[in-house]
């Protein structure tokens, strides 16, 4: 069974469309058999079996009605007004057509008999079934939704009535599909709203021909070009090989072939088994997930992979059941499923964007935004305290059971680099797991502590407005506390993570997770670093720039200390080593300092402010150096040495002491 068809049936998106083949199993003739019966009953010789007339049995019935305007429909009614011999197929189809929760059904039949009403008693006209030409609008929305059996070509009335409403002859089909066109409108809307599954039709069936031609005509004339999936049809064949599917696909119908041996027993078993399975969705979902999820997706058949993704993330109203079953398996399913789920969400997002483009071009309403469960777990950082759905919650235990996975870490790093952050629920779950986990490598512990940290220091929160007002601040309000806070906000250091250079350089076997560098490389960024060049350019033009920086020497010192502390958290800064050795070749401003990490601009600002202090106030200058010497990072030791060497407020003995003991 095609994956899409199975999944959409579970989501109440499939309409079963029944033809004469269904009622033939219950004792009634096919459409051509009905034509033959009428000819025989009315004493009219039948055309030869291979004559061209049999290509249009509806015309044959029309010709017969022109000769017997009353009798023909009476004969039809008498032949169809029989008790069914077997209703198993009808009951199975009613089960498949039933909406989950017992909230009605969606079923279309071109048969005239009332065997579905025999199979399910208590059905009422106007509520549970409708008869053409008075049909509901086949919609699927929350306001007005079609939920009944639709007798598209009319429902058999008692034998003593005229049954003029039945679509039997070519003239009837012409009115239904061409002149009055009520059947054509129903079909066009049905195909656009639902996935259709035909049961009991053949390629040359005139009824099927009218319906597919009507839909094709509507699609050509429609201004809307939204993509539509194919309809499906069960197609019997004799012998060992199925027939060529191409003639069906030319009509945008995907055939599902089955061997018609023993009076179509395979079709009957399929529909009955499918109906039984649908009654117990939760149990079947558990079995399917338990069978498929423990194995890597690359070892699975693509249909099994697609079904698992659908069971986990494709049912918006299952309240996270599939995700919880998936996450509860012991041992946890392989982390490779994360890539499969990610690609599924990428396809959903791409499809949504394409649909939005179509809607904009056509002036239509935008489609519904798809729910992306992994995006809920890693939203843009500005939305990291949002509530998440049950499916996303259900996946949390599986993710936290994989904290020793390099693949998971790299997946997380990609999202962090996109400006995303773990949702607060996931952050809490990670911290809880770390508290009870003793076998995790030290590098993994460090990595996940950073990822799950609550502080603003542990993620780069997107902000496009940090630069607004900076120029005015420097020009008009340089001496206010407001200006100090804005400066601190723009230059606030943040710890970020990127893919590990170590893992790219060496084999995975050499990375044991005991060091953070095995998993990720730490980088310090400034919150407003995209605007640093603009800020320093404007600052350089201000006559009071030295005063501005000198007045904020303590703030700038603290910001630099925070930057090196973040590197210390990542295990990359101490009193003996820190990134300034590489990232800041010269403590004093120098051309060789260009093209290094943006946080090192703090050295330039500190040096400019300190030089102004050193020229004006020797005591204050010495206090600055004394403070730097107390900060336990190599970068501050180097800053102290450079400052003492450049200042005239230190004796030669003091300079030597700083050089030897910095």
């Amino acid at each position: 069974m095609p994956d899409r068809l199975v999944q959409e049936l579970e989501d109440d998106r499939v309409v079963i469309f029944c033809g004469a083949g269904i009622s033939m199993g219950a004792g009634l003739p096919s459409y051509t058999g009905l034509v033959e019966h009428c000819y025989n009953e009315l004493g009219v010789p039948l055309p030869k079996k291979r004559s061209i007339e049999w290509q249009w049995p509806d015309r044959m019935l029309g010709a017969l009605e022109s000769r017997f305007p009353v009798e023909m429909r009476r004969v039809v009614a008498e032949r169809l007004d029989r008790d069914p011999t077997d209703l198993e197929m009808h009951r199975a189809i009613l089960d498949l057509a039933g909406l989950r929760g017992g909230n009605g059904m969606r079923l279309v039949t071109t048969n005239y008999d009332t065997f579905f009403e025999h199979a399910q008693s208590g059905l009422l006209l106007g509520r549970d079934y409708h008869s053409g030409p008075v049909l509901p609008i086949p919609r699927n929305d929350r306001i007005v939704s079609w939920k009944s059996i639709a007798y598209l070509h009319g429902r058999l009335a008692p034998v003593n009535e005229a049954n003029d409403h039945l679509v039997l002859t070519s003239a009837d089909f012409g009115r239904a599909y061409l002149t009055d066109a009520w059947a054509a409108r129903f079909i066009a809307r049905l195909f656009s709203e639902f996935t259709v599954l035909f049961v009991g039709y053949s390629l040359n069936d005139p009824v099927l021909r009218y319906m597919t031609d009507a839909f094709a005509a509507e699609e050509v004339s429609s201004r809307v070009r939204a993509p539509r999936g194919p309809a499906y049809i069960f197609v019997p064949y004799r012998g060992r090989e199925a027939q060529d599917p191409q003639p069906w696909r030319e009509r945008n119908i995907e055939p599902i072939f089955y061997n018609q041996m023993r009076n179509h027993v395979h079709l009957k078993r399929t529909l009955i088994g499918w109906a039984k399975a649908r009654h117990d969705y939760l149990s079947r979902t558990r079995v399917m997930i338990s069978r498929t999820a423990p194995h890597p997706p690359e070892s699975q058949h693509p249909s099994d992979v697609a079904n698992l993704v659908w069971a986990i993330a494709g049912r918006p109203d299952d309240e996270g059941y599939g995700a919880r079953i998936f996450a509860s398996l012991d041992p946890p399913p392989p982390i490779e499923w994360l890539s499969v789920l990610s690609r599924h969400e990428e396809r959903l997002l791409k499809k949504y964007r394409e649909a939005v483009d179509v809607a904009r071009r056509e002036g239509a309403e935008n489609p519904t935004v798809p729910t992306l469960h992994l995006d809920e777990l890693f939203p843009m950082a500005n939305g990291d305290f949002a509530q998440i759905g049950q499916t996303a919650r259900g996946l949390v235990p599986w993710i936290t059971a994989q904290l020793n996975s390099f693949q998971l870490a790299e997946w997380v790093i990609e999202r962090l680099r996109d400006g995303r952050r773990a949702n607060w629920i996931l952050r809490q779950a990670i911290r809880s797991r770390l508290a009870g986990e003793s076998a995790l490598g030290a590098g993994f512990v460090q990595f996940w502590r950073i990822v799950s940290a609550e502080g603003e220091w542990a993620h780069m929160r997107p902000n496009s407005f940090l630069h607004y007002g900076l120029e005015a601040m420097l020009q008009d309000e340089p001496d206010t506390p407001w200006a100090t806070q804005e400066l601190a906000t723009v230059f606030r250091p943040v710890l970020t993570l990127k893919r590990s250079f170590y893992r790219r350089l060496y084999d995975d076997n050499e990375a044991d997770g005991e060091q953070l560098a095995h998993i990720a490389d730490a980088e310090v960024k400034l919150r407003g670093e995209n605007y640093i060049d603009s800020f320093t350019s404007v600052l350089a033009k201000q006559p009071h720039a030295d005063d501005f920086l000198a007045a904020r020497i303590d703030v700038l010192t603290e910001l630099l200390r925070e930057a090196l502390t973040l590197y210390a958290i990542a295990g990359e800064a101490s009193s003996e080593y820190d990134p300034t050795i590489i990232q800041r070749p010269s403590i004093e401003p120098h051309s060789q300092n260009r093209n290094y990490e943006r946080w090192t601009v703090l050295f330039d600002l500190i040096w400019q402010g300190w030089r102004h202090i050193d020229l004006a106030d020797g005591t204050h200058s010495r206090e600055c150096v004394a403070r730097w010497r107390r900060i336990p990072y190599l970068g501050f030791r180097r800053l102290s040495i450079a400052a003492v060497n450049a200042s005239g407020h230190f004796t030669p003995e003091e300079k030597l002491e700083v050089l030897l003991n910095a």
Side-chain angles (χ1 to χ4, degrees), residues 261-281:
M261 61 182 292
R262 289 190 293 168
N263 199 25
H264 304 270
V265 66
H266 291 309
L267 175 62
K268 186 175 182 178
R269 287 176 179 172
T270 296
L271 293 178
I272 292 172
W274 198 7
K276 288 180 179 178
R278 191 165 188 257
H279 272 303
D280 192 8
Y281 160 74

Side-chain angles (χ1 to χ4, degrees), residues 275-583:
K276 288 180 179 178
R278 191 165 188 257
H279 272 303
D280 192 8
Y281 160 74
L282 296 182
S283 175
R284 186 163 54 88
T285 298
R286 177 182 288 274
V287 170
M288 187 267 288
I289 292 176
S290 300
R291 182 185 68 242
T292 306
H295 310 288
E298 59 269 19
S299 69
Q300 310 274 339
H301 191 278
S303 64
D304 292 331
V305 173
N307 285 334
L308 182 68
V309 171
W310 167 76
I312 295 172
R315 292 179 56 82
D317 56 352
D318 80 338
E319 298 181 348
Y321 178 81
R324 290 194 297 275
I325 294 300
F326 178 80
S328 68
L329 297 181
D330 187 16
I335 194 59
E336 286 78 8
W337 286 109
L338 183 63
S339 297
V340 174
L341 293 170
S342 291
R343 289 194 296 270
H344 166 71
E345 294 198 351
E346 289 169 5
R347 288 191 295 269
L348 287 180
L349 189 58
K350 180 181 178 182
K351 185 177 179 181
Y352 166 73
R353 288 170 176 166
E354 291 172 350
V356 168
D357 290 341
V358 171
R360 287 176 179 171
R361 289 197 301 269
E362 302 297 338
E365 292 184 5
N366 281 342
T368 303
V369 179
T371 300
L372 306 177
H373 309 293
L374 296 179
D375 274 9
E376 288 184 349
L377 290 176
F378 268 89
M380 296 304 292
N382 290 329
D384 57 305
F385 280 96
Q387 292 298 320
I388 61 177
Q390 291 298 319
T391 295
R393 284 177 178 266
L395 291 172
V396 167
W398 173 63
I399 290 176
T400 57
Q402 311 271 1
L403 298 187
N404 62 343
S405 166
F406 287 102
Q407 185 172 334
L408 174 61
E410 289 197 354
W411 183 85
V412 168
I413 289 169
E414 288 180 12
R415 274 133 193 87
L416 297 177
R417 300 290 286 186
D418 288 340
R420 296 179 177 274
R421 186 189 186 197
N423 178 271
W424 68 276
I425 293 174
L426 179 57
R427 296 200 301 270
Q428 286 186 339
I430 292 172
R431 293 197 298 272
S432 296
R433 183 62 186 257
L434 290 176
E437 177 64 67
S438 59
L440 208 58
F444 277 115
V445 171
Q446 216 170 355
F447 175 83
W448 291 113
R449 280 179 175 167
I450 294 170
V451 170
S452 64
E454 295 296 332
E456 293 289 312
W457 59 270
H459 66 282
M460 178 67 85
R461 187 178 294 278
N463 194 324
S464 301
F465 306 102
L466 286 174
H467 68 296
Y468 288 120
L470 287 180
E471 295 183 16
M473 173 194 76
L474 290 172
Q475 294 172 357
D476 303 331
E477 302 178 278
D479 298 325
T480 63
W482 178 87
T484 301
Q485 295 301 319
E486 288 296 289
L487 176 74
T489 299
V490 173
F491 285 87
R492 182 73 60 197
V494 174
L495 186 62
T496 65
L497 300 170
K498 67 177 183 179
R499 288 189 62 192
S500 168
F501 179 76
Y502 184 97
R503 290 195 67 219
R504 284 179 283 167
L505 191 62
Y506 299 101
D507 294 336
D508 286 351
N509 293 334
E510 297 188 33
D512 56 10
E514 288 298 326
Q515 300 178 41
L516 179 62
H518 292 177
I519 302 152
D521 289 341
E523 286 186 332
V524 168
K525 302 290 185 182
L526 300 181
R527 284 205 62 203
E529 70 174 42
N530 290 337
Y531 317 112
I532 298 301
D533 290 340
S534 173
F535 177 86
T536 54
S537 176
V538 172
L539 179 64
K541 298 175 183 177
Q542 306 305 313
H544 55 265
D546 292 347
D547 287 328
F548 178 86
L549 295 174
R552 290 160 182 82
I553 194 72
D554 290 341
V555 173
L556 294 170
T557 296
E558 182 61 22
L559 290 171
L560 180 59
R561 187 193 66 80
E562 287 182 18
L564 294 175
T565 298
L566 294 182
Y567 275 116
I569 289 173
E572 297 185 17
S574 68
S575 61
E576 302 299 325
Y577 175 84
D578 66 32
T580 61
I581 293 177
I582 297 174
Q583 297 296 339

Side-chain angles (χ1 to χ4, degrees), residues 113-131:
D113 61 79
T114 59
F115 285 2
F116 284 114
E117 295 166 56
H118 285 268
Q120 183 171 324
S121 60
L123 299 180
L124 297 177
L125 175 65
R127 184 193 69 181
D128 303 308
Y129 66 86
H130 297 80
S131 175

